[in-house]
Amino acid sequence: MIIVMRPHSSDAELDAVTALIASLKLAAHVSKGQERTVVGVVGAADDKDTLLAQFSQLDGVESVVPISRSYKLVSKEGRQARSVVQVREGISFGGRTLAICAGPCSVESREQLETAAAGVARAGANLLRGGAFKPRTSPYAFQGLGEEGLKLLRDAADRNGLAVVTEVLDPRDVELVVRYADMLQIGARNMQNFTLLREVGQARHPALLKRGIAATIEEWLMAAEYVFAAGNHQVVLCERGIRSYDTQTRNLLDISAVPVLRALTHLPVIVDPSHGTGVRALVLPMSLAGVAAGADGLLVEVHPNPAAARSDGPQSLTVSNFADLMSRLAPVAAAVERSLPTPALAVR
Ligand code: PEP
Ligand code: MN
């Protein structure tokens, strides 16, 4: 069961709730978000109806929701209204306007990033993506520029009116990445790195949680629950494809995850057709499909010269491919009552 406290409820009211939970020999999991506090009640209660009535009557309690699932706070029962995750003024996930994250797989140099940032901003992206810490299958492959890459991201984003979303690989780097980024990406390989999930859960920056390479939707929601339960209620899910037996694509992009998630969770969901397919030519049709299926945005890899990219060149769009994608996306977005972001440079 979860107990949702009213906004601005007092510490004393919260104490009364946790005291009642303790007296019933149940465990309380308190999660203080920016807007409100929610308390997860863990353990088997004998008489659920009496319990529900008891908690509902306490001062400061807005609602009590009986849930027996292993994820509660991120579930539809936990919150009926769909969450809107605001990255900064004018840039959010889950509203009518789509969130479009675009940029190279890896930050490679000032010139590469500036060209990509200017190009994607002009075409209508509102967040700049790019890895400064790269999760590479081989330890000998390019691992990213680290803090230098974060600085380049911040500079290029600021010059082009974009927000920054970038991956944090290691719980020890959360503080560092928070200094430069607006949104923390948790990569597919780290979806069940529970230490990292808890650490990002304590950060005050929105999180972009990618689906694990072989994760079920339920496991993914439980990972989101970790971040949420640790106090960070600004979580966006990103479908990026799962492992399959077929070799035509790098991963199998699960577009059906979008409507499935919309039925299960209030969190915004975006689609990454780049890692989801691994094939440049498939990025456009899968972007259109993702938005048509109800995604709240996209994450697309764009490189000024994909042939020279230090990672993920074969799936990267050129700046002009990306501009084409955005113009093809406009009528699809309109058909599902969404709109594209206003180009960042136009609003400055
Ligand atoms: C990325 O976005 O660059 C990335 C590494 O993605 P994923 O974690 O989905 O493989
Ligand atoms: Mn990549």
Side-chain angles (χ1 to χ4, degrees):
M1 142 183 345
I2 60 176
I3 298 167
V4 182
M5 303 298 291
R6 286 186 210 288
H8 314 298
S9 56
S10 68
D11 288 348
E13 287 167 341
L14 180 62
D15 289 346
V17 169
T18 52
L20 178 55
I21 295 170
S23 75
L24 295 163
K25 307 255 180 299
L26 300 168
H29 195 114
V30 178
S31 167
K32 288 192 180 189
Q34 271 162 336
E35 237 178 77
R36 64 181 75 232
T37 298
V38 286
V39 186
V41 183
V42 186
D46 296 336
D47 182 351
K48 288 208 170 63
D49 290 341
T50 315
L51 209 61
L52 225 69
Q54 263 181 307
F55 282 109
S56 305
Q57 284 164 28
L58 293 181
D59 289 337
V61 171
E62 184 171 273
S63 59
V64 183
V65 193
I67 304 174
S68 53
R69 289 209 181 117
S70 38
Y71 58 91
K72 302 170 192 282
L73 306 174
V74 304
S75 75
K76 250 327 206 344
E77 291 90 336
R79 181 187 155 106
Q80 263 82 49
R82 301 200 61 221
S83 286
V84 174
V85 171
Q86 183 158 35
V87 177
R88 66 179 205 208
E89 212 189 318
I91 303 182
S92 53
F93 292 73
R96 192 180 197 282
T97 304
L98 298 173
I100 308 290
C101 318
C105 178
S106 304
V107 177
E108 298 166 8
S109 69
R110 183 175 290 278
E111 298 65 37
Q112 171 242 18
L113 197 62
E114 179 57 36
T115 312
V120 301
R122 216 175 306 117
N126 46 2
L127 291 99
L128 176 64
R129 64 140 290 138
F133 295 100
K134 293 304 302 175
R136 302 307 300 279
T137 305
S138 163
Y140 308 117
F142 176 55
Q143 305 285 311
L145 298 180
E147 186 169 3
E148 184 52 30
L150 295 174
K151 285 184 185 158
L152 294 176
L153 272 169
R154 186 72 269 160
D155 283 0
D158 287 347
R159 258 198 303 281
N160 292 284
L162 302 165
V164 171
V165 54
T166 193
E167 179 162 357
V168 55
L169 266 185
D170 187 321
R172 292 167 296 188
D173 289 333
V174 170
E175 221 183 291
L176 173 71
V177 178
V178 157
R179 261 187 262 142
Y180 296 97
D182 301 297
M183 187 175 207
L184 305 174
Q185 178 172 320
I186 298 172
R189 291 155 192 80
N190 265 326
M191 190 205 81
Q192 284 188 316
N193 179 338
F194 301 114
T195 314
L196 180 65
L197 295 173
R198 280 199 206 91
E199 199 64 36
V200 170
Q202 278 165 29
R204 284 289 162 259
H205 271 32
L208 181 66
L209 178 63
K210 297 191 104 184
R211 182 178 185 173
I213 286 168
T216 65
I217 289 175
E218 198 162 71
E219 287 162 346
W220 188 11
L221 287 170
M222 285 190 264
E225 185 86 8
Y226 265 91
V227 180
F228 217 93
N232 189 344
H233 297 181
Q234 308 251 110
V235 183
V236 176
L237 301 169
C238 178
E239 163 61 40
R240 50 78 73 205
I242 46 178
R243 272 278 160 91
S244 95
Y245 48 79
D246 205 318
T247 52
Q248 296 288 325
T249 53
R250 178 178 177 185
N251 290 298
L252 182 66
L253 185 65
D254 182 7
I255 297 279
S256 67
V258 176
V260 168
L261 286 166
R262 285 191 73 147
L264 295 176
T265 177
H266 53 87
L267 301 181
V269 186
I270 68 166
V271 165
D272 169 357
S274 305
H275 297 87
T277 65
V279 180
R280 182 175 311 122
L282 301 181
V283 173
L284 168 66
M286 291 300 99
S287 296
L288 305 185
V291 169
D296 296 299
L298 297 172
L299 183 130
V300 180
E301 287 189 339
V302 179
H303 194 287
N305 179 9
R310 297 191 75 177
S311 59
D312 288 350
Q315 69 195 33
S316 297
L317 300 187
T318 61
V319 169
S320 115
N321 294 153
F322 178 70
D324 183 41
L325 184 160
M326 291 300 281
S327 58
R328 297 280 301 276
L329 191 59
V332 175
V336 290
E337 287 168 11
R338 307 303 282 263
S339 47
L340 300 185
T342 313
L345 294 173
V347 295
R348 287 206 302 168

